[in-house]
Amino acid sequence: MAAGDSGGLGGYDFRYLPQKTFQCLSTPETTSRLRQWSMLGRIQAQAFGFDQNFQAHRKDDFVMAFFKDPNVIANLKLLSDSSGQWITLGTEVKKIEAINIPCTQISMSFFNRLYSEDIVRDSGHIVKCFDSFCDPFLISDELRKVLLVEDSEKYAIFSQPDREEFLFCLFKHLCLGGALCQYEDVLNPYLETTKLLYKDLVSVRKIPQTKKIQITSSVFKVTAYGSVGMCYPSTKSHEQTFSYFIVDPIRRHVHVLYHCYVEVFNAWFLPKGFVWIDYWIGEEGAASSILSGGCCKGEAVYLLHVKWSVNMDNNDS
């Protein structure tokens, strides 16, 4: 883990690239999945350009210069802890941490061991297990167990270097989701969405002599601190609150992948036939109304910002 302060920023100037879109987060199928995983409206990808050669050994200067740049200050998005709306930073960054994230995987065969180790059946269905908790996550299948429970029987199928890979980090974040996550019964939606994200965020090139694919991006997990403590990606630390900087040194672009985990404040049980309507702020700041049955199958419904409960069996409600 590396830390930097505001000295020697390396002369970088940044520009916001609003024309760069990330299809991995905007297709109808991905949007539907992110909503199911309680990540829609809380995950964001942005692109910025920079004007100097990137030097990996000076990443701290690069990241500090990023947070000091007026174009970044005016455009970098994060979720407000108080309102849940998208805002800009609004805090002077005094210190940063930029953790190197290995990014070497070029094939989704990396996850084939989930089949060979009976975490996932040949049909693609994830093997279930007795419910347990690894705070704050409910573990009801072997996939979440292998992701979270270090003393589980098959945790070691992914080594520590495997778990540090950016591909694995993306996969794990999607599997764990947000506070109201409705988990998948099959593996494929997680793999497909991980692949889309990875391909959209990471840059590659083909080596002419060998025809092999080489990843050119450098990836860092970034945290920023103001005068009173952590200010980015949130003032609160959580495994599912993160910001990754994916730097393309050839195009001189940096992609920022951001997600903020929003805590569940209340858990209510509604009678059968009832659902709840929750108003929340979408990616463009527009209020959206979502009709949802909550994060669990059955009658248990976990609520975040409750507006109404509606009896769907009564036409007069």
Side-chain angles (χ1 to χ4, degrees):
M1 182 166 61
D5 55 30
S6 57
L9 300 183
Y12 289 103
D13 287 320
F14 293 86
R15 65 190 185 281
Y16 179 45
L17 303 175
Q19 71 276 13
K20 167 62 180 175
T21 58
F22 294 88
Q23 294 298 316
C24 58
L25 295 177
S26 59
T27 66
E29 188 171 30
T30 302
T31 299
S32 176
R33 290 170 180 170
L34 292 174
R35 179 180 291 114
Q36 178 178 333
W37 303 336
S38 190
M39 299 179 81
L40 188 66
R42 302 173 180 90
I43 192 168
Q44 179 79 239
Q46 294 179 275
F48 295 83
F50 54 93
D51 66 338
Q52 303 289 329
N53 289 331
F54 173 75
Q55 298 173 307
H57 69 278
R58 298 186 63 198
K59 62 179 173 53
D60 292 349
D61 289 343
F62 177 86
V63 174
M64 181 59 79
F66 179 86
F67 282 109
K68 296 290 187 180
D69 190 277
N71 288 318
V72 172
I73 294 170
N75 291 287
L76 182 66
K77 293 183 180 180
L78 69 157
L79 277 180
S80 167
D81 291 330
S82 56
S83 69
Q85 299 186 31
W86 288 102
I87 59 172
T88 51
L89 189 58
T91 301
E92 183 181 1
V93 170
K94 301 289 188 181
K95 186 180 73 170
I96 61 93
E97 292 177 347
I99 303 172
N100 280 307
I101 303 296
C103 186
T104 65
Q105 297 299 319
I106 58 173
S107 172
M108 295 300 290
S109 62
F110 179 79
F111 296 106
N112 285 353
R113 69 196 83 179
L114 293 173
Y115 291 91
S116 61
E117 294 291 338
D118 297 324
I119 306 300
V120 179
R121 304 188 194 282
D122 291 340
S123 63
H125 286 79
I126 301 166
V127 176
K128 302 298 182 182
C129 66
F130 290 112
D131 286 354
S132 62
F133 280 90
C134 185
D135 192 42
F137 302 106
L138 171 67
I139 297 175
S140 57
D141 57 52
E142 295 294 333
L143 177 59
R144 258 150 289 281
K145 189 184 291 186
V146 84
L147 292 176
L148 291 169
V149 183
E150 294 186 20
D151 60 355
S152 62
E153 180 183 356
K154 296 182 179 179
Y155 186 85
I157 68 171
F158 290 101
S159 67
Q160 189 55 38
D162 288 336
R163 292 172 181 274
E164 293 170 358
E165 282 281 340
F166 186 47
L167 184 65
F168 183 91
C169 293
L170 289 178
F171 176 75
K172 182 178 179 180
H173 287 312
L174 294 175
C175 290
L176 297 182
L180 302 178
C181 182
Q182 300 178 63
Y183 296 135
E184 298 285 349
D185 292 323
V186 294
L187 183 65
N188 200 51
Y190 295 130
L191 293 180
E192 285 184 351
T193 311
T194 299
K195 182 178 180 179
L196 288 173
L197 271 172
Y198 199 67
K199 289 182 68 175
D200 223 359
L201 294 169
V202 173
S203 299
V204 299
R205 67 179 177 184
K206 182 178 289 187
I207 302 173
Q209 295 82 356
T210 63
K211 306 299 183 184
K212 291 184 177 179
I213 299 297
Q214 179 188 51
I215 292 175
T216 58
S217 297
S218 296
V219 183
F220 312 108
K221 190 174 185 180
V222 172
T223 307
Y225 300 85
S227 57
V228 295
M230 188 169 71
C231 61
Y232 181 88
S234 174
T235 59
K236 301 174 183 177
S237 179
H238 192 281
E239 183 171 358
Q240 287 293 91
T241 295
F242 55 80
S243 180
Y244 293 101
F245 285 21
I246 303 98
V247 181
D248 182 340
I250 299 174
R251 295 188 180 94
R252 292 182 177 175
H253 287 177
V254 54
H255 297 159
V256 178
L257 179 67
Y258 172 97
H259 178 261
C260 185
Y261 183 93
V262 180
E263 296 284 353
V264 175
F265 300 109
N266 296 291
W268 290 0
F269 290 84
L270 299 183
K272 186 175 181 179
F274 279 75
V275 297
W276 58 272
I277 299 175
D278 181 28
Y279 277 90
W280 59 289
I281 302 300
E283 291 188 10
E284 301 302 323
S288 302
S289 176
I290 295 180
L291 194 63
S292 171
C295 64
C296 297
K297 296 177 180 178
E299 297 182 4
V301 181
Y302 293 85
L303 308 180
L304 185 57
H305 300 296
V306 179
K307 298 302 180 183
W308 300 283
S309 61
V310 181
N311 188 344
M312 301 302 289
D313 295 331
N314 187 340
N315 293 330
D316 295 331
S317 298

